[in-house]
Amino acid sequence: SLLEEPADKEWVLLANYTDKTSLRNETAFDMGRNSNLDYTPRTHFVDVVLNGVYNGTYQLCEQLKIAKNRVNVGDDGYMLEIDAKADPEDNTFRIPHIPQPINIKDPDVEVNGEAYTYVVKYLQTVDSVLFCNNFKDPVDGYAKYIDVATFVDWFLINEITKNGDACFYTSCYMNLSRGGKLKMGPLWDFDIAFGNINYNTQCANPVGYWIKNVVWFDRLFQDPAFVRAVKERFEHFYSQKDHFFYEINCNAEYLKYSVIENNNKWNTLYAYTWPNNAILGSYENEVQSMKLWLEKRFEWLNQEFSAM
């Protein structure tokens, strides 16, 4: 066990190098812990000292994997990632309405073996049913094959944060238990969310949809039942807005001395770091900019969902 979290051999240190607040991943994970997603990685901010040499501020984080205390899909379940950056040697497959490869991240399976065939056929079925004429049918439509609650909450967290990669491009995780429904999650990789992106004006702007335009979600929004579920759950996240900002403030206060040492080591605060929109200087300015962006985002979405 590390820092009183469930014992495991696999952990990662997130550098959060492109995010000068170091708070974007943690804020999204906080939303995940207040959602219907089965699992969100547990994290701790740490200062890393290696062989007596200070190496900066990091985020100790559980590695995504199938395990009882992580992605709990049983001994024969799957963790999948929609991943445009998948390596050629990865176990990937494609389906018609998702433009990027789907990578079987865990477990290792033999291509065209029984385990591989099961998950490929299941995703093909989900895709086919979602785009058939009676996809809205509550018994035989898409709800028979996907866990709607996780799709709603994954959508909302990535839409609220306007996560650039979450347009079914990369780091979009799903999981499947044998005999169960396809679920979205866990959450991962929000360093270019919350407006922290200078090569995508849509994502930089707190106004406008991003994830809603993804083909699967665009189709789901054609079902009034899904729209009602999204509106209801957005009210939950909106009601938690003060909590999210409180956690941002608490984490920023917790990090305020550490980030000074991190800047002394890596010189990030007062220099351009890809893909930041601007050099804002102080840590306080970086945090305030993120908070202002998130406040505008919440209010725009609140107006949009109220009008649906």
Side-chain angles (χ1 to χ4, degrees):
S1 174
L2 291 176
L3 300 175
E4 301 182 352
E5 301 299 357
D8 200 280
K9 293 181 180 180
E10 297 183 43
W11 306 79
V12 295
L13 286 169
L14 303 178
N16 292 321
Y17 184 76
T18 62
D19 172 17
K20 293 176 182 178
T21 70
S22 292
L23 299 176
R24 285 175 166 83
N25 274 309
E26 183 57 29
T27 303
F29 289 163
D30 186 32
M31 292 180 184
R33 297 178 191 118
N34 284 273
S35 76
N36 286 319
L37 299 178
D38 289 343
Y39 165 73
T40 297
R42 304 169 185 91
T43 61
H44 296 268
F45 292 110
V46 295
D47 290 323
V48 175
V49 177
L50 180 63
N51 297 328
V53 178
Y54 170 75
N55 275 269
T57 300
Y58 291 77
Q59 197 172 7
L60 179 72
C61 182
E62 293 176 321
Q63 175 66 285
L64 300 187
K65 59 181 287 188
I66 293 175
K68 181 180 179 181
N69 291 307
R70 297 192 183 179
V71 181
N72 189 6
V73 291
D75 294 334
D76 55 358
Y78 305 86
M79 183 177 72
L80 311 169
E81 179 189 6
I82 300 171
D83 186 12
K85 301 176 182 179
D87 293 327
E89 63 269 19
D90 288 336
N91 283 332
T92 63
F93 61 93
R94 291 180 178 270
I95 58 176
H97 293 98
I98 292 182
Q100 307 300 341
I102 300 175
N103 189 1
I104 304 173
K105 296 288 287 188
D106 200 9
D108 291 329
V109 298
E110 181 183 351
V111 175
N112 296 324
E114 188 276 333
Y116 177 91
T117 301
Y118 179 92
V119 70
V120 171
K121 286 186 175 180
Y122 196 96
L123 268 292
Q124 288 173 338
T125 299
V126 172
D127 191 66
S128 176
V129 171
L130 186 56
F131 289 90
C132 73
N133 291 332
N134 68 333
F135 79 105
K136 302 176 188 176
D137 190 287
V139 177
D140 294 319
Y142 68 85
K144 180 178 179 180
Y145 300 96
I146 72 170
D147 185 291
V148 176
T150 64
F151 271 73
V152 168
D153 279 18
W154 188 92
F155 160 78
L156 280 170
I157 293 169
N158 282 282
E159 189 69 271
I160 291 168
T161 61
K162 220 170 189 185
N163 187 4
D165 285 337
C167 58
F168 277 19
Y169 178 70
T170 189
S171 297
C172 300
Y173 285 86
M174 302 179 285
N175 64 87
L176 178 67
S177 300
R178 291 276 187 137
K181 297 181 180 182
L182 182 69
K183 296 182 178 182
M184 292 302 298
L187 300 170
W188 194 252
D189 199 2
F190 288 80
D191 57 332
I192 59 170
F194 300 90
N196 186 36
I197 184 170
N198 65 5
Y199 59 86
N200 184 323
T201 56
Q202 284 182 275
C203 285
N205 190 345
V207 170
Y209 288 114
W210 180 242
I211 310 302
K212 184 174 177 286
N213 300 327
V214 173
V215 176
W216 270 21
F217 286 106
D218 178 69
R219 181 64 164 169
L220 287 167
F221 265 87
Q222 296 173 32
D223 180 12
F226 188 82
V227 174
R228 287 194 298 271
V230 168
K231 292 179 64 173
E232 178 182 326
R233 287 300 289 169
F234 178 76
E235 290 175 3
H236 161 74
F237 287 104
Y238 190 75
S239 72
Q240 296 289 311
K241 186 174 69 165
D242 288 346
H243 161 78
F244 298 137
F245 282 101
Y246 173 78
E247 289 297 317
I248 290 172
N249 290 336
C250 288
N251 286 322
E253 177 70 16
Y254 182 74
L255 287 170
K256 68 178 182 180
Y257 297 118
S258 184
V259 294
I260 295 173
E261 296 303 319
N262 188 77
N263 185 63
N264 290 339
K265 176 73 176 182
W266 298 111
N267 188 33
T268 57
L269 284 176
Y270 299 92
Y272 172 74
T273 302
W274 181 90
N276 300 160
N277 283 307
I279 301 172
L280 301 178
S282 71
Y283 183 66
E284 292 78 8
N285 288 348
E286 292 288 348
V287 174
Q288 184 66 12
S289 177
M290 173 186 162
K291 288 163 59 178
L292 288 172
W293 187 96
L294 183 57
E295 177 67 31
K296 291 177 182 178
R297 185 68 178 152
F298 262 121
E299 294 309 317
W300 185 84
L301 287 170
N302 187 45
Q303 291 180 351
E304 286 294 304
F305 290 137
S306 296
M308 280 187 177

